[in-house]
């Protein structure tokens, strides 16, 4: 099964509006065209759909995403308005992916750039994991690890210790996908006797400079998306591979 992650489109109601390094609507369309050509089985949109928090920006996103030849799901980022998103398309927490399972988490803290799950969302996550031991992919907006970019690490998932402590009880969690960082990232995160692969994704809009102490745009990089190929066999169990695709804009 081919899962494609897109993230951080930062759309405006005005399709001609510019970001720091491009036109978000144009970049969104070009990345989406490349995703369609890659023939995904499912697409995950991991937050920051909108920049201006307008109803029109979400309507534009849904209109474009309906071109996809497969199911797609989204979750909120720190820039998003939950009510406007839900008015256009429901937010789904759990999806069956054949032998695998997808969980989509809301890490938004209203009015803040950082993320947090909090006790209530962590309890819901625990309940979902207790119900099903299929290999699991978790998608979220805020990074649950440091990505090595100081200013970004300060606005990642604030209660990551509680998050990892919870996951340590559930070895079926194999993969975590996050957005927010506007850069590719990969880590084999050791958790007791198991390892969880943690992946970040290029933004559809501007790219952020990896390793920067303060906010900086990576003008040498390009928008892109992440591909995750999921597999299952009776002999080997769960298997996967992942890579990033960049798109000329």
């Amino acid at each position: 099964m081919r899962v494609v992650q897109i993230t951080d489109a930062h759309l405006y109601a005005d399709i001609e509006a510019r970001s720091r390094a491009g036109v978000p609507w144009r970049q969104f369309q070009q990345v989406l065209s490349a995703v369609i050509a890659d023939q995904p089985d499912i697409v995950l949109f991991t937050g920051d759909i909108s920049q201006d928090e307008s109803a029109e920006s979400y309507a534009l996103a849904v209109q474009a995403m309906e071109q996809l030849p497969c199911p797609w799901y989204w979750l909120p980022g720190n820039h998003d308005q939950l009510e406007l998103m839900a008015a256009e398309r429901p937010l789904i927490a759990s999806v069956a992916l054949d032998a695998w399972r997808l969980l989509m988490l809301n890490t938004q803290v209203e009015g803040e750039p950082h993320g947090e799950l909090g006790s209530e969302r962590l309890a819901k996550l625990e309940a979902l994991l207790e119900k099903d031991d299929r290999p699991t992919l978790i998608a979220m907006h805020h990074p649950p690890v440091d990505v090595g970019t100081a200013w970004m690490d300060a606005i990642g998932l604030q209660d990551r210790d509680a998050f990892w402590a919870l996951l340590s009880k559930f070895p079926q969690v194999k993969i975590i996908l996050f957005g927010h960082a506007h850069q590719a990232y990969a880590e084999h995160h050791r958790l007791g006797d198991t390892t969880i692969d943690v992946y970040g994704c290029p933004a559809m809009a501007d790219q952020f400079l990896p390793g920067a102490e303060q906010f900086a745009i990576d003008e040498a990089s390009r928008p892109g998306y992440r591909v995750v190929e999921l597999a299952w066999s009776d002999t080997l169990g769960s298997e996967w591979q992942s890579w990033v695709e960049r798109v000329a804009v």
Side-chain angles (χ1 to χ4, degrees):
M1 171 171 284
R2 174 163 289 189
V3 177
V4 166
Q5 178 195 9
I6 57 175
T7 196
D8 294 273
H10 292 274
L11 296 174
Y12 295 84
D14 179 4
I15 63 173
E16 301 297 331
R18 292 189 62 85
S19 61
R20 298 175 184 88
V23 179
W25 174 243
R26 187 181 307 156
Q27 293 166 309
F28 181 88
Q29 289 183 304
Q30 289 168 320
V31 172
L32 198 60
S33 292
V35 168
I36 291 170
D38 233 345
Q39 299 182 318
D41 295 299
I42 184 173
V43 172
L44 311 179
F45 201 161
T46 55
D48 280 359
I49 290 86
S50 177
Q51 177 65 27
D52 65 2
E53 302 179 7
S54 67
E56 292 83 0
S57 64
Y58 295 107
L60 281 171
V62 170
Q63 178 184 351
M65 295 288 286
E66 291 301 327
Q67 301 174 58
L68 289 167
C70 64
W72 66 273
Y73 304 92
W74 62 3
L75 55 81
N78 53 290
H79 283 277
D80 288 314
Q81 290 291 330
L82 275 172
E83 296 81 4
L84 296 179
M85 285 182 70
E88 288 291 336
R89 186 178 177 89
L91 283 75
I92 306 298
S94 177
V95 180
L97 303 177
D98 295 333
W100 284 72
R101 189 184 192 207
L102 163 67
L103 300 180
M104 301 191 73
L105 306 185
N106 175 8
T107 58
Q108 186 191 78
V109 179
E110 188 174 357
E112 299 291 343
H114 66 262
E116 188 174 315
L117 284 162
S119 57
E120 185 175 339
R121 293 179 201 168
L122 284 168
K124 289 180 179 178
L125 174 60
E126 183 170 23
L128 286 169
L129 290 169
E130 285 175 342
K131 290 178 181 177
D132 197 320
D133 63 357
R134 279 179 294 177
T136 300
L137 183 159
I138 291 177
M140 58 202 304
H141 183 68
H142 291 85
V145 295
D146 284 345
V147 300
T149 302
W151 68 271
M152 174 57 64
D153 291 338
I155 57 171
L157 188 71
Q158 300 298 292
D159 54 352
R160 65 185 66 179
D161 289 345
F163 175 68
W164 289 117
L166 172 59
L167 294 193
S168 68
K169 300 187 290 184
F170 298 100
Q172 71 264 38
V173 178
K174 307 297 184 184
I175 303 168
I176 296 173
L177 304 180
F178 65 83
H180 194 52
H182 289 233
Q183 59 189 268
Y185 182 84
E187 174 183 325
H188 302 298
H189 190 86
R190 193 73 185 172
L191 198 63
D193 295 329
T194 64
T195 299
I196 299 177
D197 282 355
V198 183
Y199 298 117
C201 184
M204 300 178 88
D206 302 337
Q207 308 307 298
F208 295 162
L209 185 65
E213 289 294 318
Q214 299 179 341
F215 177 84
I217 293 293
D218 186 355
E219 297 184 5
S221 193
R222 297 174 293 164
Y225 58 95
R226 178 171 288 281
V227 181
V228 185
E229 291 277 7
L230 301 177
W232 170 269
S233 70
D234 291 336
T235 53
L236 297 176
S238 58
E239 297 182 294
W240 63 92
Q241 56 181 328
S242 181
W243 62 93
V244 162
E245 299 283 358
R246 300 283 183 172
V247 179
V249 295

